[in-house]
């Protein structure tokens, strides 16, 4: 009832706002960046999460975490403006006053924005700007207080269950997400404050030994170059007055230094954009570290090393000061190019730049995104062929479907291959990477089956699996909003096991899923009484063959996983949830094959069991990661449980339809079933139906 009341209230607010011609406060003007500047900026290398990547990739995922998209769209005076992720990040770094006016924060739940005292928009599609949120009285304070309370609860081990329940609350989850987005945005707009604003102290007024400041502020580069003199004056007996004048400057410098990023504080949102001074050091340098090492930690270096480091670091700070203070001037592009060329040259000298251009090509091609529309077009053409089966036009269009499917699959495989080259390892190591690989494997299996069967059944399945798989990959990437090209933990850095165990297991997953998908065709054919007996026999043969194929890879992959576990963890088997899931898939497939060989199940039973194995595979592939337990719990994703329960409910319903066919579509078999078999059939039908209801309710409660 409460949900219904809230929904009605949102609808009424929308209608009322529309009647007043309401429009959210938005940016009033926007000047596009020069394409040459954007190209230079995108190709600048940055070290993040253990690997070197182009600034374009960094910008994309930063924007995705805030906006759920890799680009911005908004209107200025009726004109639609499109801003790429790199352009947005440049606005944040060099034009923060513009970035703060852009509608960027996505808040779908109006209760979330109301909880901090901000007037919700008429449509959840409308974004909120930082200026709009921060200008509301105490909005930022309320946001910090609410999320701070949740953070303390999550850190308290005694309140683990209470913390999980609090995080599942839609408003709390929305507040945490908004706070994370605001923090990331504030970092981006404040990262170069030290270079843009300088330090609010006039050293010339503090002591005649210094030059006068510009507008009452000293440049950070000058402050750091004169740091020894500052300390020397401060240590004199009469230096107390001088210290009092510059103490506030030290506090501001420390704040801006932390925002720009220092070496000892792990922060994924700071830009490690400078190659280290030593070729033996693998960790790149954040701007804040330059300030820290030239001021607060200067005594850690010898006098000679201090001079050497200052000669290396100060020009970089001066370059950033020049860029941030000359935005819009003709010299900006030359200054940015000079900074970029220096960084790129050093990266090439260190042998670290080789993959940057390849990653830019991968970003530009977007092969996974190219594959999806071709699968969709193939499905549309396939649907057209169903209007006139057997005709010349239909046969011609079928070749078009096959061509588009092959092209999309080649693009998908090429995308997986490019990722492997960039990371220097086999194609699967993270939960995201399993999605395109399993999709490609299942589609290839379908095409192989189609080559031998030539009835269009496997071709139709290949198109549907391609669409579902790539759509899932895109949604998962948006949901996670993290770079999908990840450097692995040390325990997983074994190309041999990644190329054997992981690939075998995932091929087993793909075969199990494919078998379940094909089995849907048989069940729907029976229930709706469409299709011939030959059609159903063909489908059953496919399901049986794919199950045999999948069982082989699932068994080999499970055994290899045990050998790897013994090598890494000192035990072959530990009843870990992921291990149990793999074992359940093998047992399910073995039961199906033995039941078929023993005559306990016929065509209908084989297909119903294939759907059950599909459910087990989804559990092993996705659900065990949500349990947050076990050594294989590497892919927790908030908000995914709802969709898992929806999948379980749908598949349970499909099984119910299939089992109901024993009574409604095959009346001639009633006498053949016998008493025991009838009891078993009715029991399984009721069980599947009950599980359908249970999973629907669990989804609603999630």
């Amino acid at each position: 009832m409460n949900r219904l009341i809230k929904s009605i209230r949102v609808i009424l607010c929308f209608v009322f706002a529309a009647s007043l011609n309401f429009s959210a406060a938005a940016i009033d003007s926007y000047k596009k960046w020069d394409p040459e500047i954007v190209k230079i900026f995108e190709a600048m290398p940055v070290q993040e999460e253990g690997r070197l990547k182009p600034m374009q990739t960094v910008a994309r995922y930063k924007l995705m975490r805030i906006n759920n998209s890799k680009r911005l769209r908004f209107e200025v005076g009726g004109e639609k403006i499109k801003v790429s992720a790199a352009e947005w990040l440049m606005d944040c770094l060099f034009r923060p006053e513009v970035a703060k006016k852009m509608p960027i924060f996505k808040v779908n739940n109006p209760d979330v924005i109301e909880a901090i005292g901000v007037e919700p928009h008429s449509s959840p599609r409308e974004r909120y700007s930082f200026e709009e949120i921060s200008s509301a009285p105490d909005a930022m304070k309320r946001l910090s207080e609410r999320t701070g309370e949740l953070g303390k609860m999550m850190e308290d081990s005694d309140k683990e269950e209470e913390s999980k329940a609090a995080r599942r609350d839609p408003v709390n989850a929305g507040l945490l997400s908004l706070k994370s987005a605001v923090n990331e945005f504030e970092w981006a707009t404040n990262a170069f404050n030290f270079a843009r604003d300088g330090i609010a102290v006039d050293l010339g007024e503090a002591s005649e030994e210094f030059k006068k400041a510009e507008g009452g502020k000293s440049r950070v580069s000058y402050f750091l170059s004169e740091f020894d003199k500052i300390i020397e004056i401060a240590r004199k007996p009469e230096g107390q007055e001088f210290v009092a004048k510059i103490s506030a400057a030290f506090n501001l410098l420390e704040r801006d230094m932390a925002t720009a990023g220092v070496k000892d504080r792990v922060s994924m949102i700071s830009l490690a954009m400078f190659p280290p001074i030593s070729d033996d050091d693998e960790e790149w340098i954040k701007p804040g570290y330059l300030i820290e090492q030239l001021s607060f930690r200067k005594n850690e270096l010898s006098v000679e090393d201090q001079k050497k480091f200052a000669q290396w670091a100060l020009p970089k700070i001066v370059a950033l000061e020049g860029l941030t203070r000359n935005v819009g001037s003709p010299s900006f592009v030359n200054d940015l190019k000079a900074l970029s060329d220096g960084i790129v040259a050093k990266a090439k000298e260190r042998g670290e730049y080789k993959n940057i251009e390849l990653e830019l090509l991968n970003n530009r091609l977007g092969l996974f995104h190219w594959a999806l529309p071709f699968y969709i077009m193939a499905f549309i053409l396939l649907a057209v062929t169903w209007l006139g089966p057997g005709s010349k036009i239909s046969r011609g269009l079928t070749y078009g479907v096959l061509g588009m499917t092959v092209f999309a699959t080649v693009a998908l495989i090429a995308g997986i291959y490019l990722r492997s080259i960039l990371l220097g390892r086999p194609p699967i190591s993270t939960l995201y990477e399993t999605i395109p690989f399993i999709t490609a494997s299942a589609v290839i299996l379908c095409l192989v089956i189609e080559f031998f069967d030539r009835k269009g059944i496997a071709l139709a399945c290949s198109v549907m699996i391609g669409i579902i798989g790539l759509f899932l990959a895109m949604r998962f990437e948006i949901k996670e909003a993290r770079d999908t090209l990840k450097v692995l933990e040390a325990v997983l850095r074994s190309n041999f096991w990644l190329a054997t165990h992981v690939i075998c297991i995932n091929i087993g997953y793909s075969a199990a899923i494919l078998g379940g998908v094909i089995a849907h065709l048989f069940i729907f054919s029976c229930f709706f009484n469409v299709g011939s007996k030959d059609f159903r026999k063909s489908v059953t043969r496919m399901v049986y063959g794919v199950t045999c194929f999948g069982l082989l890879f699932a068994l080999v992959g499970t055994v290899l996983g045990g050998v790897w576990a013994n090598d890494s963890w000192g035990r072959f088997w530990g009843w870990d949830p992921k291990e149990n899931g793999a074992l359940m898939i093998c047992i399910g497939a073995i039961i199906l094959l033995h039941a078929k060989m023993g005559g306990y199940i016929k065509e209908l039973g084989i297909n119903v069991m294939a759907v059950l194995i599909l459910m087990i595979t989804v559990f092993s592939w996705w659900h065990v990661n949500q349990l947050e337990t076990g050594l294989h719990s590497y892919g927790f994703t908030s908000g995914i449980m709802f969709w898992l329960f929806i999948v379980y409910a749908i598949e349970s319903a499909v099984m119910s339809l299939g089992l109901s066919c024993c009574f409604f579509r095959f009346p001639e078999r009633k006498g053949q079933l016998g008493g025991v078999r009838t009891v078993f059939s009715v029991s399984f039908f009721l069980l599947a139906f009950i599980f359908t209801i249970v999973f629907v309710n669990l989804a609603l409660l999630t």
Side-chain angles (χ1 to χ4, degrees):
M1 181 60 72
N2 289 335
R3 290 186 179 180
L4 179 61
I5 292 171
K6 288 180 180 178
S7 299
I8 294 172
R9 186 178 64 183
V10 170
I11 293 170
L12 290 175
C13 288
F14 175 80
V15 173
F16 178 73
S19 66
L20 295 178
N21 195 25
F22 173 83
S23 62
I27 185 170
D28 52 7
S29 64
Y30 184 79
K31 182 180 179 181
K32 293 281 287 184
W33 288 95
D34 187 310
E36 184 183 356
I37 293 175
V38 176
K39 186 177 180 181
I40 295 170
F41 183 76
E42 285 179 336
M44 289 179 68
V46 181
Q47 191 181 70
E48 186 183 59
E49 297 179 327
R51 76 178 186 91
L52 206 64
K53 58 185 76 171
M55 192 74 77
Q56 183 191 61
T57 298
V58 175
R60 282 184 170 192
Y61 287 101
K62 287 186 183 300
L63 181 58
M64 193 181 291
R65 286 191 286 273
I66 298 172
N67 192 51
N68 282 6
S69 177
K70 293 180 180 178
R71 61 185 62 84
L72 278 177
R73 296 183 182 90
F74 51 86
E75 287 191 10
V76 175
E79 180 186 359
K80 293 183 178 180
I81 304 294
K82 293 182 181 179
V83 177
S84 69
E87 291 174 303
W88 166 80
L89 185 56
M90 291 185 71
D91 285 325
C92 291
L93 296 174
F94 302 116
R95 302 191 305 198
E97 69 285 350
V98 174
K100 289 178 181 180
K101 295 179 181 179
M102 292 180 178
I104 184 173
F105 297 103
K106 184 179 182 181
V107 184
N108 290 326
N109 188 348
D111 291 341
V112 173
I113 207 72
E114 283 183 340
I116 60 173
V118 178
E119 186 70 24
H121 289 169
S122 58
S123 169
R125 285 184 169 274
E126 294 182 23
R127 264 59 168 181
Y128 298 80
S129 68
F130 179 83
E131 191 176 84
E132 184 180 1
I133 295 175
S134 60
S135 61
D138 297 327
M140 289 299 185
K141 182 181 177 182
R142 291 179 188 177
L143 182 60
S144 297
E145 288 175 351
R146 288 284 298 270
T147 53
E149 291 171 3
L150 291 169
K152 288 178 182 178
M153 189 185 299
M154 285 187 278
E155 292 172 1
D156 191 343
S157 57
D158 296 331
K159 297 182 178 180
E160 185 176 353
E161 293 302 320
E162 186 180 350
S163 167
K164 288 182 180 179
R167 278 185 290 168
R168 292 190 187 103
D169 180 78
V171 175
N172 288 339
L175 288 171
L176 288 170
S177 177
L178 179 59
K179 179 60 177 175
S180 175
V182 167
N183 287 346
E184 185 120 22
F185 180 82
E186 285 185 316
W187 165 83
T189 52
N190 296 332
F192 289 167
N193 276 356
F194 74 92
R196 182 183 305 104
D197 300 334
I199 304 176
V201 62
D202 188 341
L203 292 175
E205 290 183 359
S207 172
E208 291 297 329
E209 298 185 46
F210 299 102
K211 294 184 292 185
K212 294 289 183 182
E214 303 169 356
K217 292 185 177 182
S218 297
R219 289 200 177 204
V220 170
S221 57
Y222 178 67
F223 187 91
L224 295 174
S225 66
E226 301 294 333
F227 195 78
D228 287 339
K229 191 184 293 184
I230 292 170
I231 298 299
E232 183 182 342
I233 295 173
R235 287 175 177 172
K236 290 180 179 179
E238 64 276 12
Q240 292 183 356
E241 184 179 350
F242 176 73
V243 170
K245 289 182 178 179
I246 67 168
S247 60
F250 271 86
N251 292 333
L252 292 173
L253 181 64
E254 190 171 11
R255 181 202 66 187
D256 289 343
M257 177 190 74
T259 304
V262 293
K263 196 171 185 177
D264 293 340
R265 299 178 195 171
V266 178
S267 174
M268 64 177 298
I269 60 176
S270 299
L271 292 175
M273 55 188 297
F274 297 116
I277 190 170
S278 171
D279 291 337
D280 297 329
D281 192 352
E282 295 182 358
E283 186 177 355
W284 279 43
I285 303 300
K286 301 170 184 176
Y289 175 74
L290 304 179
I291 301 172
E292 183 183 43
Q293 202 63 50
L294 289 170
S295 55
F296 302 105
R297 299 179 65 172
K298 193 170 186 177
N299 291 334
E300 295 179 1
L301 302 175
S302 64
V303 175
E304 184 178 345
D305 287 340
Q306 286 179 20
K307 291 180 180 178
K308 184 179 178 182
F309 187 84
Q311 291 174 353
W312 174 79
L314 279 173
K316 293 173 173 53
I317 295 175
V318 171
L320 291 177
E321 287 175 337
L323 284 171
T324 54
R325 295 172 183 231
N326 296 317
V327 178
S329 69
S331 64
F332 183 87
V333 61
N334 294 326
D335 292 343
L336 182 65
K337 190 174 188 310
L339 177 65
S340 175
D341 287 348
I343 295 172
V344 170
K346 184 64 177 177
K348 287 181 177 178
E349 183 184 319
R350 291 165 57 90
E352 295 178 323
Y353 194 77
K354 55 184 179 181
N355 284 339
I356 297 294
E357 292 175 346
L358 184 61
E359 186 166 350
L360 287 170
L361 175 64
N362 183 54
N363 291 343
R364 186 165 59 252
L365 291 177
L367 291 170
F368 292 169
H369 295 273
W370 267 105
L372 180 58
F374 274 90
Y375 279 128
I376 293 173
M377 287 189 290
F379 178 79
I380 293 171
L381 278 184
L382 184 65
V384 173
T385 65
W386 296 337
L387 298 176
S391 64
K392 290 183 179 180
I393 296 176
S394 178
R395 287 196 296 270
L397 290 177
T398 300
Y399 286 113
V401 172
L402 182 61
M404 287 185 178
T405 304
V406 170
F407 178 84
T409 307
V410 169
L412 180 56
I413 295 170
I416 295 171
Y417 177 74
L418 270 178
R419 291 174 60 87
S420 298
I421 296 297
L422 284 168
L423 292 171
R425 56 170 169 77
I428 317 172
S429 59
T430 65
L431 185 58
Y432 169 81
E433 290 173 343
T434 63
I435 305 172
F437 183 87
I438 287 174
T439 301
S441 300
V443 171
I444 291 170
L445 278 174
C446 284
L447 293 176
V448 171
I449 294 171
E450 182 64 25
F451 177 78
F452 292 104
D453 188 71
R454 303 291 178 92
K455 291 184 179 178
I457 302 170
L459 181 60
C461 290
S462 70
V463 173
M464 289 187 290
I465 289 173
I467 293 171
I468 294 170
L470 287 177
F471 179 77
L472 178 61
M474 290 173 61
R475 295 305 304 170
F476 184 77
E477 183 183 22
I478 292 172
K479 181 69 178 175
E480 286 287 278
R482 295 281 183 257
D483 187 1
T484 58
L485 291 166
K486 293 183 179 179
V487 176
L488 298 179
E489 299 175 8
V491 70
L492 296 175
R493 293 176 191 170
S494 171
N495 282 358
F496 173 77
W497 292 116
L498 290 174
T500 52
H501 158 65
V502 177
I503 286 181
C504 280
I505 281 289
N506 281 274
I507 291 176
Y509 283 172
S510 65
I513 290 170
L514 176 59
V517 170
I518 297 174
H520 283 60
L521 300 178
F522 182 97
I523 292 171
F524 292 147
S525 172
C526 289
F527 186 81
F528 295 106
N529 199 22
V530 295
S532 63
K533 288 185 178 180
D534 289 339
F535 169 81
R536 292 169 193 160
K537 285 182 180 180
S538 295
V539 170
T540 305
R541 282 198 300 269
M542 292 178 194
V543 171
Y544 182 77
V546 168
T547 301
C548 294
F549 177 85
L551 176 60
L552 172 64
F553 280 91
L555 278 172
V556 173
T558 302
V559 172
L560 288 174
V563 177
W564 188 9
N566 186 62
D567 183 57
S568 299
W569 299 324
R571 53 90 173 150
F572 181 85
W573 193 266
W575 299 107
D576 185 89
K578 200 76 172 179
E579 296 169 352
N580 295 339
L583 181 62
M584 288 165 62
I585 294 172
C586 295
I587 292 174
I590 289 170
I591 290 173
L592 187 155
L593 298 182
H594 278 73
K596 191 262 182 188
M597 292 174 65
Y600 295 103
I601 56 175
K602 301 296 183 182
E603 290 183 348
L604 181 62
I606 290 171
N607 288 279
V608 169
M609 281 207 66
V611 175
L612 177 61
I613 294 171
L614 184 151
M615 290 178 65
I616 295 171
T617 305
V618 171
F619 174 83
S620 178
W621 183 15
W622 288 91
H623 199 133
V624 297
N625 297 319
Q626 309 307 306
L627 302 178
E628 298 185 79
T629 184
L631 295 172
H632 293 82
S633 183
Y634 56 81
F636 177 80
T637 307
S638 62
I640 205 171
M641 286 300 293
F642 169 82
W643 294 107
L644 286 175
F645 286 132
I646 289 295
V647 170
Y648 296 151
I650 291 171
E651 298 309 319
S652 296
V654 171
M655 291 174 63
S656 300
L657 293 179
L659 291 167
S660 71
C661 292
C662 292
F663 316 105
F664 300 116
R665 292 304 178 192
F666 301 116
E668 70 279 3
R669 295 186 184 176
K670 286 184 179 180
Q672 303 173 9
L673 287 174
V676 176
R677 291 189 179 184
T678 301
V679 170
F680 272 111
S681 299
V682 172
S683 299
F684 283 124
F685 167 75
L686 291 175
L687 190 63
F689 182 77
I690 290 168
F691 272 116
T692 303
I693 304 301
V694 169
F695 287 132
V696 168
N697 280 280
L698 286 172
L700 294 174
L701 292 172
T702 301

